[in-house]
Every structure is written in C-alpha cells, then in structure tokens.
Amino acid sequence: QVQLVESGGGLVQVGDSLRLSCVTSGLTFRTYIMGWFRQAPGKEREFVTAISWSGPTNYANSVKGRFTISRDNAKNSVYLQMNSLKPEDSAVYYCALDPGFTISVSYTEYSYWGQGTQVTVSS
C-alpha cells in the first residue's frame, strides 16, 4: 500500500521560509513523478511544483524563484523549500505521486496523495 506522509508545515511571518518534507512507502514503481499541490479555503487544488525521477522540474509561475523542489530517491523522499513566503501562499500543501513519466500540472494525473500539511503565512 502506497503511503505519503508530509511534514514541516506551520505558522510563519511574511518573508520567512519553510521546508516541507514528504516520505513515501509501499512503492512498487521503479520511477515516478513527485509533486506538490496546495488548496486554500474556497479555492480549487492548484499545482505548485513537480519533479521527475531524473530531476527535471516544473513550477507554477506564482512560486518560481521562491520555491525549490528536490528529491532523494534513496530515501523515497521529496522536499519543498519555500522562501520569501507571502500571505497568498497560505494553504494546505499536499504531496502527490504520479507513476507516469511526464510531469503533469493536473491533479487528476496523480494517483497517490498525502494527508496534507497546513502552511499559514501571517502578515
């Protein structure tokens, strides 16, 4: 059974940084895409960033230059370093896994999800 567990969320001030982590277990795929999505109250779940097995990444325009995704395949983990946080970054952040080969920005392509971790940026 595939499981994803996020950690690292919290309450921070504008301009602060946070690092989210996601550890996966029960994997049966040799390669897979890892992504981060977020959902604010009353809004749809939106793509933040994703990384392929070999390293190529994709970022939403709203986080380019501020967020960095990375992964450690040996540890079955993916990370999201978030810098220069803004109030509009406040949301529940979800880690997601796509057993495919090409990064997608659509949440429907991701088969497995974590439980989410809350990020709140206070002004």
Side-chain angles (χ1 to χ4, degrees):
Q1 181 178 350
V2 176
Q3 291 189 322
L4 287 67
V5 179
E6 304 101 332
S7 62
L11 172 63
V12 296
Q13 301 293 316
V14 170
D16 283 353
S17 298
L18 270 180
R19 186 177 189 241
L20 306 183
S21 299
C22 174
V23 179
T24 64
S25 61
L27 298 176
T28 58
F29 327 106
R30 193 175 68 86
T31 62
Y32 48 92
I33 306 291
M34 292 298 301
W36 289 95
F37 287 74
R38 65 187 182 187
Q39 188 166 19
K43 295 188 176 181
E44 293 189 354
R45 190 167 299 191
E46 66 171 352
F47 173 80
V48 177
T49 181
I51 185 169
S52 69
W53 177 263
S54 56
T57 59
N58 191 357
Y59 292 91
N61 288 333
S62 59
V63 306
K64 279 182 181 177
R66 300 188 299 121
F67 291 12
T68 302
I69 188 171
S70 60
R71 66 189 290 171
D72 185 336
N73 292 331
K75 295 182 178 180
N76 294 325
S77 297
V78 64
Y79 310 98
L80 181 62
Q81 178 66 43
M82 305 186 293
N83 299 329
S84 303
L85 283 162
K86 305 175 181 180
E88 52 264 43
D89 294 319
S90 297
V92 176
Y93 282 71
Y94 296 91
C95 173
L97 186 152
D98 173 7
F101 302 96
T102 303
I103 291 177
S104 172
V105 302
S106 172
Y107 70 86
T108 60
E109 296 297 316
Y110 292 77
S111 305
Y112 303 94
W113 294 82
Q115 80 287 352
T117 185
Q118 178 71 49
V119 172
T120 303
V121 184
S122 173
S123 57

